[in-house]
């Protein structure tokens, strides 16, 4: 299969590209810079120049492919409304190019968008209106609307922590906060949970979704249902040799900035149905074990 991949040089997208090529697929990767293009060529992928804001490039890339994995996202948490609108428009454009063909379109979403405080399942389909990332749920709605246009849409929801070498997500920002402030903090009693997955396991799920997920599927790329935030803070404190301290919810924003609200979320999630439906079986190490690797604490 010839697969068009957005976000193809990102933390997750780059391993999706390797997973696809390793399974015998051809990859056409979206590149918005010469550096990205060189990285794709080195990985054995074809290069398609463009960006998520360039809807013509998205349309032509999807039209030239047998399927699409949309792993790109503008990670601007200072303007989530704009980032989510770019994502929604990109999905509609990709879907229009695939309409009437039965070809697969796999999009990326998040488990933390729904049902805080309990274990989220693949059957949860309503956004949490209080979530700082709830705006992104519009992308799921836009994607599922394409099923009626004969696009084999599936949604891969990823947890708050997708970890592994090269991680530049929430956990590295917690590490930097602990390093700069001299304390590894957690909010309240620290018993709130984040679901987690290793990026190699996530990449495998994206491939399985592309190859065989039924139209309209919601899939959870969750390797661990819920890792205690207090345990994450403890490992960070141990590696940096700084105290591990509880702070109040009122102090969280001042201490962590915009990340404070996300750190306070209780966001466990299950992948039981995904494993049953696609035979996906995460095999990589968990988040706490991964945090013991030296790449997380390089200065």
């Amino acid at each position: 299969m010839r697969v068009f991949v957005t976000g193809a040089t990102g933390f997750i997208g780059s391993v999706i590209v390797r997973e696809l090529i390793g399974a015998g697929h051809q990859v056409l990767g979206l590149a918005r810079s010469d550096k990205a293009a060189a990285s794709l060529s080195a990985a054995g992928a074809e290069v398609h120049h463009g960006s998520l804001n360039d809807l013509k490039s998205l349309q032509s890339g999807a039209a030239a492919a047998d399927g699409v994995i949309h792993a790109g996202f503008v990670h601007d948490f200072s303007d989530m409304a704009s980032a989510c609108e770019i994502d929604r428009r990109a999905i509609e454009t990709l879907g229009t190019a695939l309409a009437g063909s039965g070809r697969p379109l796999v999009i990326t979403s998040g488990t933390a968008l729904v049902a805080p405080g309990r274990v989220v399942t693949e059957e949860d389909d309503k956004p949490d209106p209080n979530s700082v990332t709830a705006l992104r749920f519009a992308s799921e709605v836009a994607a599922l609307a394409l099923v009626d246009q004969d696009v084999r849409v599936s949604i891969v929801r990823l947890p708050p922590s997708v970890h592994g070498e090269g991680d530049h997500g929430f956990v590295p920002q917690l590490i930097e906060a602990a390093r700069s402030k001299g304390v590894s903090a957690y909010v309240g009693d620290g018993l709130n949970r984040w679901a987690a997955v290793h990026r190699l396991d996530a990449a495998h799920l994206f491939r399985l979704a592309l190859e065989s997920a039924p139209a309209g599927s919601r899939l959870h790329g969750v390797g661990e249902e819920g890792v205690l935030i207090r345990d994450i803070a403890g490992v960070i404190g141990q590696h940096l040799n700084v105290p591990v301290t509880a702070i109040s919810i009122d102090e969280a924003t001042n201490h962590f900035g915009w990340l404070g609200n996300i750190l306070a979320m209780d966001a466990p999630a299950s992948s039981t149905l995904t494993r049953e439906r696609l035979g996906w079986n995460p095999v990589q190490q968990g988040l706490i074990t991964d945090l013991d690797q030296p790449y997380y604490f390089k200065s």
Side-chain angles (χ1 to χ4, degrees), residues 196-282:
V197 69
H198 194 283
R199 68 173 183 155
L200 295 179
D201 286 324
H204 185 209
L205 178 57
F206 274 96
R207 176 171 68 83
L208 293 178
L210 176 86
E211 293 173 342
S212 60
S217 299
R218 293 185 185 89
L219 305 167
H220 280 190
V222 172
E224 294 176 283
E225 190 169 283
V227 181
L228 294 179
I229 297 298
R230 188 167 67 186
D231 290 346
I232 296 172
V235 174
I236 292 172
Q238 179 183 1
H239 277 272
L240 296 180
N241 195 27
V242 298
V244 180
T245 305
I247 62 174
S248 70
I249 185 65
D250 292 333
E251 296 172 304
T253 301
N254 183 58
H255 188 90
F256 291 107
W258 60 265
L259 185 57
N261 288 329
I262 295 174
L263 186 64
M265 289 192 308
D266 186 35
S270 168
S271 58
T272 298
L273 295 178
T274 298
R275 298 180 195 220
E276 292 175 353
R277 290 167 179 169
L278 293 188
W280 179 63
N281 181 35

Side-chain angles (χ1 to χ4, degrees), residues 120-163:
V120 175
T121 77
E122 295 87 339
E123 295 181 340
D124 282 303
D125 61 356
K126 298 292 188 297
D128 167 25
N130 298 313
S131 170
V132 295
T133 55
L135 288 169
R136 196 171 183 185
F137 199 84
S139 293
E140 291 197 12
V141 175
L144 292 174
L146 296 166
V147 172
D148 290 336
Q149 298 182 43
D150 193 23
V151 181
R152 183 163 61 82
V153 170
S154 59
I155 299 166
V156 174
R157 288 174 173 167
L158 295 175
S161 176
V162 180
H163 57 89

Side-chain angles (χ1 to χ4, degrees), residues 162-186:
V162 180
H163 57 89
E165 186 169 7
D167 186 356
H168 51 265
F170 296 146
V171 169
Q173 293 182 58
L174 296 179
I175 293 171
E176 287 309 306
R179 183 178 279 122
S180 65
K181 295 180 179 294
V183 59
S184 181
Y186 56 86

